Amino acid sequence: MKTKPNPKAEALAGLVNEVTGGCLMTRTRRISRVITNLFDQELRPFGLNASQFSLLVLIARMDGASRAEIGRANHQERSTSTRNLQLVLDQGWADELVPDKGRSRPIVISPAGRELLAQAMPAWRAAQAKAKRLLGQHGAAAIVDLASGLPAETLAG
């Protein structure tokens, strides 16, 4: 027995096939979740997750950047950046300096943050090695190249 064609179901199936067939967004999100999980597991004994570790490294690299500059450099919208920065500040891993004049309050890594990064580096290296094995040499190199080429002005919020 033949069933009647259902145009709505066929339209949905077409949409799903188009997205699952080659969607860059879903694939990059999947890769991000898997790789982030590797780093989260390795960094967990230090009381850090991958996002916090990455933010501490960024703060150390930018050495005195404002909240907005850190948010833009981290490709995060303002509310996410503010929430993540506040946690790092509350933990004492970074300090927000009060300048003598001006509105900008530079954020710098604290001595506790420097020590935490140094202690967590072997765990980061272990996660990095696992991620490289998972992605393969070409996959890892492609991700580094793509991320390096992202323009700063593509930031959200």
Side-chain angles (χ1 to χ4, degrees), residues 10 13 30 36 62 105 124-125 144-145 149:
E10 290 174 3
R30 187 180 316 149
T36 297
M62 295 182 77
R105 299 168 60 125
W124 178 88
R125 289 183 183 115
V144 170
D145 286 345

Side-chain angles (χ1 to χ4, degrees), residues 24-149:
L24 297 174
M25 182 267 300
T26 56
R27 281 167 175 74
T28 54
R29 290 178 60 87
R30 187 180 316 149
I31 292 167
S32 176
R33 285 191 293 271
V34 169
I35 299 301
T36 297
N37 188 44
L38 284 176
F39 282 85
D40 282 346
Q41 288 178 15
E42 292 293 332
L43 295 168
R44 188 170 294 126
F46 299 92
L48 279 172
N49 62 32
S51 175
Q52 294 161 344
F53 183 89
S54 176
L55 182 57
L56 277 177
V57 170
L58 183 63
I59 291 168
R61 184 170 57 104
M62 295 182 77
D63 193 27
S66 68
R67 287 175 179 251
E69 291 167 332
I70 292 168
R72 283 193 297 274
N74 213 14
H75 293 242
Q76 289 181 319
E77 52 184 71
R78 183 182 296 183
S79 63
T80 302
S81 180
T82 297
R83 184 178 56 249
N84 292 344
L85 272 172
Q86 195 58 52
L87 191 142
V88 166
L89 292 166
D90 290 347
Q91 291 293 324
W93 300 331
D95 295 317
E96 188 169 31
L97 306 178
V98 179
D100 293 336
K101 56 183 176 182
R103 292 179 25 184
S104 182
R105 299 168 60 125
I107 295 177
V108 297
I109 192 161
S110 71
R114 277 193 290 275
E115 179 65 25
L116 181 60
L117 281 180
Q119 290 175 352
M121 277 307 293
W124 178 88
R125 289 183 183 115
Q128 181 81 349
K130 286 181 180 178
K132 283 183 176 179
R133 281 193 301 274
L134 180 67
L135 296 169
Q137 182 179 356
H138 295 296
I143 288 174
V144 170
D145 286 345
L146 290 169
S148 298

